[in-house]
Coordinates of all heavy atoms in Angstrom, one line a residue:
M1247 N -9.9 -8.2 27.4 CA -9.4 -7.0 28.2 C -8.1 -7.4 28.9 O -8.0 -8.5 29.5 CB -10.4 -6.5 29.2 CG -9.9 -5.4 30.1 SD -10.3 -3.7 29.4 CE -12.0 -3.8 29.1
I1248 N -7.0 -6.6 28.7 CA -5.7 -6.9 29.3 C -5.3 -5.8 30.2 O -5.6 -4.6 29.9 CB -4.6 -7.3 28.3 CG1 -4.3 -6.1 27.5 CG2 -4.9 -8.6 27.5 CD1 -2.9 -6.2 26.9
Q1249 N -4.6 -6.1 31.3 CA -4.2 -5.1 32.1 C -2.7 -4.7 31.7 O -2.0 -5.5 31.4 CB -4.1 -5.5 33.6 CG -3.9 -4.3 34.6 CD -3.8 -4.8 36.0 OE1 -4.2 -5.8 36.4 NE2 -3.2 -3.9 36.7
L1250 N -2.5 -3.4 31.6 CA -1.2 -3.0 31.0 C -0.1 -2.7 32.1 O 0.2 -1.5 32.4 CB -1.4 -1.7 30.2 CG -2.4 -1.8 29.1 CD1 -2.8 -0.4 28.5 CD2 -1.9 -2.7 28.1
T1251 N 0.3 -3.8 32.8 CA 1.3 -3.6 33.8 C 2.6 -4.2 33.5 O 3.7 -3.7 33.6 CB 0.8 -4.1 35.1 OG1 0.3 -5.4 34.9 CG2 -0.3 -3.2 35.8
I1252 N 2.4 -5.4 32.9 CA 3.7 -6.2 32.7 C 4.1 -5.9 31.2 O 3.5 -6.5 30.3 CB 3.5 -7.7 32.8 CG1 2.9 -7.9 34.3 CG2 4.8 -8.5 32.8 CD1 2.1 -9.2 34.6
I1253 N 5.1 -5.1 31.1 CA 5.5 -4.7 29.8 C 6.0 -5.8 28.9 O 5.8 -5.8 27.6 CB 6.5 -3.4 29.9 CG1 6.5 -2.7 28.6 CG2 7.8 -3.9 30.2 CD1 5.4 -1.8 28.3
S1254 N 6.6 -6.8 29.5 CA 7.1 -8.0 28.7 C 6.0 -8.7 28.0 O 6.2 -9.3 26.9 CB 7.9 -8.9 29.7 OG 7.0 -9.5 30.6
K1255 N 4.8 -8.7 28.6 CA 3.7 -9.3 27.9 C 3.4 -8.6 26.6 O 2.9 -9.2 25.6 CB 2.4 -9.2 28.8 CG 2.2 -10.4 29.7 CD 0.8 -10.3 30.2 CE 0.4 -11.4 31.2 NZ -0.9 -11.1 31.8
L1256 N 3.7 -7.3 26.6 CA 3.5 -6.5 25.4 C 4.6 -6.5 24.4 O 4.4 -5.9 23.3 CB 3.0 -5.0 25.8 CG 1.6 -4.7 26.1 CD1 1.6 -3.3 26.6 CD2 0.8 -4.9 24.9
E1257 N 5.7 -7.1 24.8 CA 6.9 -6.9 24.0 C 6.8 -7.4 22.6 O 7.2 -6.8 21.7 CB 8.1 -7.6 24.7 CG 9.4 -7.0 24.5 CD 10.5 -7.7 25.3 OE1 10.7 -7.3 26.4 OE2 11.1 -8.6 24.8
N1258 N 6.2 -8.7 22.5 CA 6.0 -9.2 21.1 C 5.1 -8.3 20.3 O 5.3 -8.1 19.1 CB 5.5 -10.6 21.2 CG 6.5 -11.7 21.7 OD1 7.8 -11.3 21.7 ND2 6.0 -12.7 22.1
A1259 N 4.1 -7.9 20.9 CA 3.1 -7.1 20.3 C 3.7 -5.7 19.8 O 3.4 -5.3 18.7 CB 1.9 -6.8 21.2
I1260 N 4.5 -5.2 20.6 CA 5.2 -3.9 20.3 C 6.2 -4.1 19.1 O 6.2 -3.3 18.2 CB 6.0 -3.4 21.5 CG1 5.0 -2.9 22.6 CG2 7.0 -2.2 21.1 CD1 5.7 -2.6 23.9
N1261 N 6.9 -5.2 19.1 CA 7.8 -5.6 18.0 C 7.0 -5.8 16.7 O 7.4 -5.3 15.7 CB 8.6 -6.9 18.4 CG 9.7 -6.5 19.4 OD1 10.1 -5.4 19.5 ND2 10.1 -7.6 20.1
K1262 N 5.8 -6.4 16.9 CA 5.0 -6.7 15.6 C 4.5 -5.3 15.1 O 4.4 -5.1 13.9 CB 3.8 -7.6 15.9 CG 3.2 -8.1 14.7 CD 2.3 -9.3 14.8 CE 1.7 -9.7 13.4 NZ 0.6 -10.4 13.5
A1263 N 4.0 -4.5 16.0 CA 3.6 -3.2 15.7 C 4.7 -2.3 14.9 O 4.4 -1.6 13.9 CB 3.0 -2.4 16.8
R1264 N 6.0 -2.5 15.3 CA 7.0 -1.8 14.7 C 7.2 -2.3 13.3 O 7.6 -1.5 12.4 CB 8.4 -2.1 15.5 CG 8.4 -1.2 16.7 CD 9.9 -1.1 17.2 NE 10.0 -0.4 18.4 CZ 10.4 -1.0 19.6 NH1 10.7 -2.3 19.6 NH2 10.3 -0.3 20.7
V1265 N 7.0 -3.6 13.1 CA 7.1 -4.1 11.7 C 6.0 -3.8 10.8 O 6.2 -3.3 9.7 CB 7.3 -5.7 11.8 CG1 7.4 -6.3 10.4 CG2 8.6 -6.0 12.5
C1266 N 4.7 -4.0 11.4 CA 3.5 -3.7 10.5 C 3.2 -2.3 10.3 O 2.6 -1.9 9.4 CB 2.3 -4.4 11.3 SG 2.4 -6.1 11.2
K1267 N 3.6 -1.4 11.3 CA 3.3 0.0 11.3 C 1.8 0.3 11.0 O 1.5 0.9 9.9 CB 4.2 0.8 10.3 CG 5.7 0.9 10.7 CD 6.5 1.8 9.7 CE 7.9 1.9 10.1 NZ 8.7 0.6 10.2
P1268 N 0.9 -0.2 11.8 CA -0.5 0.0 11.5 C -0.9 1.5 11.6 O -0.2 2.2 12.4 CB -1.3 -0.9 12.6 CG -0.2 -1.0 13.7 CD 1.1 -1.0 13.1
L1269 N -2.0 1.8 10.9 CA -2.5 3.1 11.0 C -3.5 3.3 12.1 O -4.4 2.6 12.3 CB -3.3 3.4 9.6 CG -3.8 4.8 9.6 CD1 -2.7 5.8 9.5 CD2 -4.7 4.9 8.3
V1270 N -3.1 4.2 13.0 CA -3.9 4.5 14.2 C -4.7 5.8 14.1 O -4.1 6.8 13.8 CB -3.0 4.5 15.5 CG1 -4.0 4.8 16.8 CG2 -2.2 3.4 15.7
R1271 N -6.0 5.7 14.3 CA -6.8 6.9 14.2 C -7.5 7.1 15.5 O -8.0 6.2 16.1 CB -7.8 6.7 13.1 CG -7.4 6.9 11.6 CD -8.5 7.3 10.7 NE -8.0 7.4 9.3 CZ -8.1 6.3 8.5 NH1 -8.6 5.1 8.8 NH2 -7.6 6.5 7.2
V1272 N -7.6 8.4 15.9 CA -8.2 8.6 17.2 C -9.8 8.8 17.0 O -10.2 9.7 16.2 CB -7.6 10.0 17.7 CG1 -8.3 10.3 19.2 CG2 -6.2 9.8 17.9
I1273 N -10.6 8.1 17.7 CA -12.0 8.3 17.6 C -12.3 9.4 18.7 O -12.9 10.4 18.4 CB -12.8 7.0 18.0 CG1 -12.5 5.9 17.0 CG2 -14.3 7.3 18.0 CD1 -13.0 4.5 17.4
K1274 N -11.8 9.1 19.9 CA -11.7 10.1 21.0 C -10.6 9.7 21.9 O -10.2 8.5 21.8 CB -13.1 10.2 21.7 CG -13.6 8.9 22.4 CD -14.8 9.1 23.2 CE -14.9 8.1 24.1 NZ -15.9 7.1 24.1
F1275 N -10.3 10.5 22.9 CA -9.2 10.1 23.8 C -9.6 8.7 24.5 O -10.6 8.7 25.1 CB -9.0 11.2 24.9 CG -7.9 11.0 25.8 CD1 -6.6 10.9 25.3 CD2 -8.1 10.8 27.1 CE1 -5.5 10.7 26.1 CE2 -7.0 10.5 28.0 CZ -5.7 10.4 27.5
G1276 N -8.8 7.7 24.3 CA -9.1 6.5 24.8 C -9.6 5.5 23.8 O -9.7 4.3 24.2
S1277 N -10.2 5.9 22.8 CA -10.8 5.1 21.8 C -10.1 5.3 20.4 O -10.0 6.4 19.9 CB -12.2 5.3 21.5 OG -12.9 5.1 22.7
Y1278 N -9.6 4.2 19.8 CA -8.8 4.3 18.6 C -9.2 3.2 17.6 O -9.7 2.1 18.0 CB -7.3 4.1 18.9 CG -6.9 5.1 20.0 CD1 -7.0 4.8 21.4 CD2 -6.4 6.3 19.7 CE1 -6.7 5.6 22.3 CE2 -6.1 7.3 20.6 CZ -6.2 6.8 22.0 OH -5.9 7.7 23.0
T1279 N -9.1 3.5 16.3 CA -9.2 2.5 15.3 C -7.8 2.1 14.8 O -6.9 3.1 14.7 CB -10.0 2.8 14.1 OG1 -9.4 3.9 13.4 CG2 -11.4 3.1 14.5
V1280 N -7.4 0.9 14.7 CA -6.1 0.5 14.2 C -6.3 -0.4 12.9 O -6.9 -1.4 13.0 CB -5.4 -0.4 15.3 CG1 -3.9 -0.8 14.8 CG2 -5.3 0.3 16.5
T1281 N -5.7 0.2 11.9 CA -5.9 -0.5 10.6 C -4.5 -1.1 10.0 O -3.5 -0.5 10.1 CB -6.3 0.5 9.5 OG1 -7.6 1.1 9.9 CG2 -6.5 -0.1 8.1
N1282 N -4.6 -2.4 9.7 CA -3.5 -3.0 9.0 C -3.4 -2.6 7.6 O -4.4 -2.9 6.9 CB -3.6 -4.6 9.1 CG -2.5 -5.3 8.5 OD1 -2.0 -4.9 7.5 ND2 -2.1 -6.4 9.1
K1283 N -2.4 -1.8 7.2 CA -2.4 -1.3 5.9 C -2.3 -2.2 4.8 O -2.8 -2.0 3.7 CB -1.1 -0.3 5.8 CG -1.3 1.0 6.6 CD -0.1 1.9 6.4 CE 0.2 2.8 7.6 NZ 1.5 3.3 7.6
A1284 N -1.7 -3.4 5.1 CA -1.6 -4.4 4.0 C -2.9 -5.1 3.7 O -3.3 -5.4 2.6 CB -0.5 -5.4 4.5
T1285 N -3.7 -5.4 4.8 CA -4.9 -6.1 4.6 C -6.2 -5.3 4.7 O -7.2 -5.6 4.2 CB -5.1 -7.3 5.7 OG1 -5.3 -6.6 6.9 CG2 -4.0 -8.2 5.7
G1286 N -6.0 -4.1 5.2 CA -7.2 -3.2 5.4 C -8.0 -3.4 6.6 O -9.1 -2.8 6.9
A1287 N -7.7 -4.6 7.3 CA -8.5 -5.0 8.5 C -8.3 -3.9 9.6 O -7.2 -3.4 9.9 CB -8.0 -6.3 9.1
T1288 N -9.6 -3.5 10.1 CA -9.6 -2.4 11.1 C -10.1 -2.9 12.4 O -11.2 -3.6 12.4 CB -10.3 -1.2 10.5 OG1 -9.7 -0.7 9.4 CG2 -10.4 -0.1 11.6
Y1289 N -9.6 -2.6 13.4 CA -10.1 -3.0 14.8 C -10.2 -1.8 15.7 O -9.5 -0.8 15.5 CB -9.2 -4.1 15.4 CG -9.2 -5.3 14.5 CD1 -8.0 -5.5 13.8 CD2 -10.1 -6.3 14.5 CE1 -7.9 -6.6 12.9 CE2 -10.0 -7.4 13.7 CZ -8.9 -7.5 12.8 OH -8.8 -8.6 12.0
I1290 N -11.0 -2.0 16.8 CA -11.2 -0.9 17.7 C -10.5 -1.2 19.0 O -10.7 -2.2 19.5 CB -12.7 -0.5 17.9 CG1 -13.4 0.0 16.6 CG2 -12.9 0.6 19.0 CD1 -14.9 0.0 16.6
V1291 N -9.7 -0.3 19.5 CA -8.9 -0.5 20.7 C -9.4 0.6 21.7 O -9.5 1.8 21.3 CB -7.4 -0.4 20.6 CG1 -6.7 -0.5 21.9 CG2 -6.9 -1.5 19.6
E1292 N -9.8 0.1 22.8 CA -10.2 1.1 24.0 C -9.2 1.0 25.1 O -8.8 -0.1 25.5 CB -11.6 0.6 24.5 CG -12.6 0.4 23.5 CD -13.6 1.5 23.3 OE1 -13.4 2.6 24.0 OE2 -14.6 1.5 22.5
C1293 N -8.8 2.2 25.6 CA -7.8 2.2 26.7 C -8.6 2.9 27.8 O -9.3 3.9 27.6 CB -6.6 3.1 26.4 SG -5.7 2.6 24.9
E1294 N -8.5 2.3 28.9 CA -9.2 3.0 30.2 C -8.4 2.8 31.4 O -7.5 1.9 31.5 CB -10.5 2.5 30.3 CG -10.6 1.0 30.5 CD -12.1 0.5 30.7 OE1 -12.7 0.8 31.7 OE2 -12.7 -0.1 29.8
K1295 N -8.6 3.7 32.4 CA -7.9 3.6 33.6 C -9.0 3.4 34.7 O -10.0 4.1 34.8 CB -7.3 5.0 33.9 CG -6.0 5.0 34.7 CD -5.4 6.3 34.7 CE -4.2 6.4 35.5 NZ -3.6 7.8 35.6
R1296 N -8.8 2.3 35.4 CA -9.8 2.0 36.5 C -9.0 1.7 37.8 O -8.1 0.9 37.9 CB -10.6 0.7 36.1 CG -12.1 0.9 35.9 CD -12.7 -0.4 35.8 NE -12.6 -0.9 34.4 CZ -12.4 -2.2 34.1 NH1 -12.3 -3.1 35.0 NH2 -12.3 -2.5 32.8
D1297 N -9.4 2.4 38.9 CA -8.7 2.2 40.2 C -7.2 2.4 40.0 O -6.4 1.6 40.6 CB -9.0 0.9 40.7 CG -10.5 0.6 40.9 OD1 -11.2 1.6 41.3 OD2 -11.0 -0.6 40.7
G1298 N -6.8 3.3 39.2 CA -5.4 3.6 39.0 C -4.6 2.6 38.1 O -3.5 2.6 37.9
K1299 N -5.4 1.5 37.6 CA -4.7 0.5 36.7 C -5.2 0.7 35.3 O -6.3 1.2 35.1 CB -5.2 -0.9 37.2 CG -4.6 -1.3 38.5 CD -5.3 -2.5 38.9 CE -4.9 -2.9 40.4 NZ -5.8 -3.8 41.0
R1300 N -4.3 0.5 34.4 CA -4.6 0.7 33.0 C -4.9 -0.5 32.2 O -4.3 -1.6 32.4 CB -3.3 1.3 32.2 CG -3.1 2.7 32.7 CD -1.8 3.4 32.0 NE -1.8 4.8 32.3 CZ -1.2 5.3 33.4 NH1 -0.7 4.4 34.3 NH2 -1.1 6.6 33.6
F1301 N -6.0 -0.4 31.5 CA -6.5 -1.6 30.8 C -6.7 -1.2 29.3 O -6.9 -0.1 28.9 CB -7.9 -2.0 31.3 CG -7.8 -2.6 32.7 CD1 -8.0 -1.7 33.7 CD2 -7.6 -3.9 32.9 CE1 -7.9 -2.2 35.1 CE2 -7.5 -4.4 34.3 CZ -7.7 -3.5 35.3
A1302 N -6.6 -2.2 28.4 CA -6.9 -2.0 27.0 C -7.6 -3.3 26.5 O -7.4 -4.3 27.0 CB -5.6 -1.8 26.3
S1303 N -8.6 -2.9 25.6 CA -9.2 -4.1 24.9 C -9.2 -3.8 23.4 O -9.2 -2.7 22.9 CB -10.6 -4.2 25.4 OG -11.4 -3.0 25.0
C1304 N -9.3 -5.0 22.6 CA -9.2 -4.9 21.2 C -10.3 -5.7 20.6 O -10.7 -6.8 21.2 CB -7.8 -5.3 20.6 SG -7.8 -5.2 18.9
T1305 N -10.8 -5.4 19.5 CA -11.9 -6.1 18.9 C -11.5 -7.4 18.0 O -12.2 -8.0 17.4 CB -12.9 -5.3 18.1 OG1 -12.2 -4.5 17.1 CG2 -13.7 -4.3 19.0
C1306 N -10.2 -7.5 17.8 CA -9.7 -8.6 17.0 C -9.7 -9.9 17.7 O -10.0 -9.9 18.9 CB -8.2 -8.3 16.6 SG -7.0 -8.7 17.9
K1307 N -9.5 -11.0 17.0 CA -9.6 -12.4 17.7 C -8.9 -12.6 18.9 O -9.1 -13.1 20.0 CB -9.4 -13.5 16.7 CG -10.7 -13.7 15.8 CD -10.5 -14.9 14.9 CE -11.7 -15.0 14.0 NZ -11.4 -15.8 12.8
A1308 N -7.6 -12.1 18.7 CA -6.6 -12.3 19.9 C -7.0 -11.4 21.0 O -7.0 -11.8 22.2 CB -5.1 -11.9 19.4
G1309 N -7.5 -10.2 20.7 CA -7.9 -9.2 21.8 C -9.0 -9.8 22.5 O -9.2 -9.6 23.8
E1310 N -9.9 -10.4 21.8 CA -11.2 -11.0 22.5 C -10.8 -12.0 23.4 O -11.6 -12.4 24.3 CB -12.2 -11.4 21.4 CG -12.9 -10.3 20.8 CD -13.8 -10.6 19.7 OE1 -13.8 -11.8 19.2 OE2 -14.6 -9.7 19.1
R1311 N -9.7 -12.7 23.1 CA -9.2 -13.9 24.0 C -8.4 -13.3 25.2 O -7.8 -14.0 25.9 CB -8.5 -14.8 23.3 CG -9.2 -15.7 22.3 CD -8.5 -17.0 21.9 NE -7.3 -16.7 21.1 CZ -7.3 -16.6 19.8 NH1 -8.3 -16.9 19.1 NH2 -6.2 -16.3 19.1
G1312 N -8.2 -11.9 25.2 CA -7.5 -11.3 26.3 C -6.0 -11.3 26.0 O -5.2 -11.1 26.9
Q1313 N -5.6 -11.6 24.8 CA -4.1 -11.6 24.5 C -3.7 -10.2 24.0 O -4.5 -9.4 23.4 CB -3.9 -12.6 23.3 CG -4.1 -14.0 23.8 CD -4.0 -15.0 22.6 OE1 -4.0 -14.6 21.4 NE2 -4.1 -16.2 22.9
A1314 N -2.4 -9.9 24.3 CA -1.9 -8.6 23.9 C -1.6 -8.6 22.4 O -0.6 -9.4 22.0 CB -0.5 -8.3 24.7
C1315 N -2.3 -8.0 21.6 CA -2.1 -7.9 20.2 C -1.3 -6.6 19.8 O -1.3 -5.7 20.6 CB -3.5 -8.0 19.5 SG -4.6 -6.7 19.9
Y1316 N -0.9 -6.6 18.6 CA -0.1 -5.4 18.1 C -1.0 -4.2 17.9 O -0.6 -3.1 17.9 CB 0.7 -5.7 16.9 CG 0.0 -5.9 15.6 CD1 -0.1 -4.7 14.7 CD2 -0.6 -7.1 15.2 CE1 -0.8 -4.8 13.6 CE2 -1.2 -7.1 13.9 CZ -1.4 -6.1 13.2 OH -2.1 -6.1 12.0
H1317 N -2.4 -4.4 17.8 CA -3.3 -3.3 17.6 C -3.3 -2.5 19.0 O -3.2 -1.3 19.0 CB -4.7 -3.8 17.4 CG -4.8 -4.7 16.3 ND1 -5.1 -6.1 16.4 CD2 -4.5 -4.6 14.9 CE1 -5.1 -6.7 15.3 NE2 -4.8 -5.9 14.4
V1318 N -3.3 -3.3 20.1 CA -3.3 -2.6 21.4 C -1.9 -1.9 21.6 O -1.9 -0.7 22.0 CB -3.4 -3.6 22.5 CG1 -3.0 -3.2 23.9 CG2 -4.9 -4.1 22.7
A1319 N -0.8 -2.5 21.2 CA 0.5 -1.9 21.4 C 0.6 -0.6 20.6 O 1.0 0.4 21.1 CB 1.6 -2.9 20.9
A1320 N 0.1 -0.6 19.3 CA 0.1 0.7 18.5 C -0.8 1.7 19.2 O -0.4 2.9 19.1 CB -0.3 0.4 17.2
A1321 N -2.0 1.3 19.5 CA -3.0 2.3 20.1 C -2.4 2.9 21.4 O -2.6 4.1 21.7 CB -4.3 1.6 20.2
V1322 N -1.9 2.0 22.3 CA -1.4 2.4 23.5 C -0.3 3.4 23.4 O -0.2 4.5 24.0 CB -1.0 1.3 24.5 CG1 0.0 1.7 25.6 CG2 -2.1 0.5 25.0
S1323 N 0.6 3.2 22.4 CA 1.7 4.1 22.1 C 1.1 5.5 21.7 O 1.6 6.5 22.2 CB 2.5 3.5 21.0 OG 3.3 4.5 20.2
A1324 N 0.0 5.5 20.9 CA -0.6 6.7 20.4 C -1.3 7.4 21.7 O -1.2 8.6 21.9 CB -1.6 6.6 19.4
H1325 N -1.9 6.6 22.4 CA -2.7 7.1 23.6 C -1.7 7.7 24.6 O -2.0 8.9 25.1 CB -3.3 5.9 24.3 CG -4.1 6.2 25.5 ND1 -5.3 6.9 25.4 CD2 -4.0 5.8 26.8 CE1 -5.8 7.0 26.6 NE2 -5.1 6.5 27.5
L1326 N -0.6 7.1 24.8 CA 0.4 7.7 25.8 C 1.0 9.1 25.3 O 1.2 10.0 26.0 CB 1.6 6.7 26.1 CG 1.1 5.5 26.8 CD1 2.3 4.5 27.0 CD2 0.6 5.8 28.2
Q1327 N 1.1 9.1 24.0 CA 1.7 10.3 23.3 C 0.6 11.5 23.5 O 1.0 12.5 23.8 CB 1.9 10.1 21.9 CG 3.1 10.7 21.3 CD 3.4 10.2 19.8 OE1 3.3 9.0 19.5 NE2 3.7 11.2 19.0
I1328 N -0.7 11.1 23.3 CA -1.7 12.1 23.4 C -1.8 12.6 24.9 O -1.9 13.7 25.2 CB -3.0 11.6 22.9 CG1 -2.9 11.3 21.5 CG2 -4.2 12.6 23.3 CD1 -4.1 10.5 20.8
A1329 N -1.6 11.6 25.8 CA -1.8 11.8 27.2 C -0.6 12.8 27.7 O -0.9 13.7 28.4 CB -1.7 10.6 28.0
V1330 N 0.6 12.6 27.1 CA 1.7 13.4 27.4 C 1.4 14.9 26.9 O 1.7 15.9 27.6 CB 3.0 12.9 26.9 CG1 4.2 13.9 27.0 CG2 3.4 11.6 27.7
E1331 N 1.0 14.9 25.6 CA 0.7 16.2 25.0 C -0.3 16.9 25.8 O -0.3 18.1 26.0 CB 0.3 16.1 23.6 CG 1.4 15.8 22.7 CD 1.0 15.3 21.3 OE1 -0.3 15.4 21.0 OE2 1.8 14.7 20.6
R1332 N -1.4 16.3 26.3 CA -2.4 16.9 27.1 C -1.8 17.5 28.4 O -2.1 18.6 28.8 CB -3.5 15.9 27.5 CG -4.4 15.6 26.4 CD -5.5 14.7 26.9 NE -6.7 14.8 26.2 CZ -7.9 14.6 26.6 NH1 -8.0 14.0 27.9 NH2 -8.9 14.7 25.9
A1333 N -1.0 16.6 29.0 CA -0.3 17.0 30.2 C 0.5 18.3 30.1 O 0.5 19.2 30.9 CB 0.4 15.9 30.8
V1334 N 1.2 18.3 28.9 CA 2.1 19.5 28.6 C 1.1 20.7 28.4 O 1.5 21.8 28.9 CB 3.0 19.2 27.4 CG1 3.7 20.5 27.1 CG2 4.0 18.1 27.8
L1335 N 0.1 20.6 27.8 CA -0.8 21.8 27.4 C -1.4 22.3 28.7 O -1.7 23.5 28.8 CB -1.8 21.3 26.4 CG -1.3 21.1 24.9 CD1 -2.4 20.6 24.1 CD2 -0.8 22.4 24.3
N1336 N -1.7 21.4 29.7 CA -2.3 21.7 30.8 C -1.4 22.2 31.9 O -1.8 22.6 33.0 CB -3.2 20.7 31.4 CG -4.4 20.3 30.5 OD1 -4.9 21.3 29.9 ND2 -4.8 19.1 30.4
F1337 N -0.1 22.1 31.6 CA 0.9 22.5 32.6 C 0.8 24.0 33.0 O 0.7 24.8 32.1 CB 2.3 22.1 32.0 CG 3.4 22.3 33.1 CD1 3.5 21.5 34.1 CD2 4.4 23.2 32.8 CE1 4.6 21.6 35.0 CE2 5.4 23.4 33.7 CZ 5.5 22.6 34.9
Ligands
LIG926 ZN1 -6.1 -6.5 18.2

């Protein structure tokens, strides 16, 4: 589980996600599957908000060690987009 506050920690992951362009599917708001199109490897990313802080976890090896992986970067990007769309719809 990593806390999503220091964006520089995610920078490498974001850059890798830009290159890999993994496929993100929504399970439900906050839960996503992220698939590497080249290898077919799929991992589950969970995003949650606790005490006003944002956290994300991934089922890949890096994610299990608490490292920011590109699956988290890709899922968080989709998550934020959905959150914004929800906010707009509820406006
Ligand atoms: Zn991962």
Side-chain angles (χ1 to χ4, degrees):
M1247 180 89 53
I1248 62 155
Q1249 195 186 337
L1250 302 170
T1251 47
I1252 308 159
I1253 201 75
S1254 62
K1255 265 193 183 174
L1256 272 173
E1257 211 174 274
N1258 288 341
I1260 291 167
N1261 287 336
K1262 191 164 181 200
R1264 277 198 191 116
V1265 174
C1266 294
K1267 293 188 177 55
L1269 180 67
V1270 180
R1271 284 199 183 94
V1272 181
I1273 302 169
K1274 61 174 202 253
F1275 184 65
S1277 297
Y1278 307 89
T1279 60
V1280 181
T1281 303
N1282 179 322
K1283 287 182 207 160
T1285 65
T1288 299
Y1289 302 100
I1290 298 167
V1291 176
E1292 311 257 2
C1293 304
E1294 59 181 289
K1295 211 172 177 182
R1296 243 188 282 141
D1297 303 324
K1299 293 168 186 162
R1300 289 181 172 82
F1301 295 90
S1303 62
C1304 180
T1305 54
C1306 78
K1307 275 183 185 162
E1310 279 172 358
R1311 286 196 299 263
Q1313 291 169 356
C1315 57
Y1316 74 94
H1317 313 112
V1318 163
V1322 164
S1323 157
H1325 182 66
L1326 293 177
Q1327 220 172 315
I1328 295 166
V1330 167
E1331 280 165 18
R1332 282 184 153 203
V1334 170
L1335 289 174
N1336 292 328
F1337 184 68

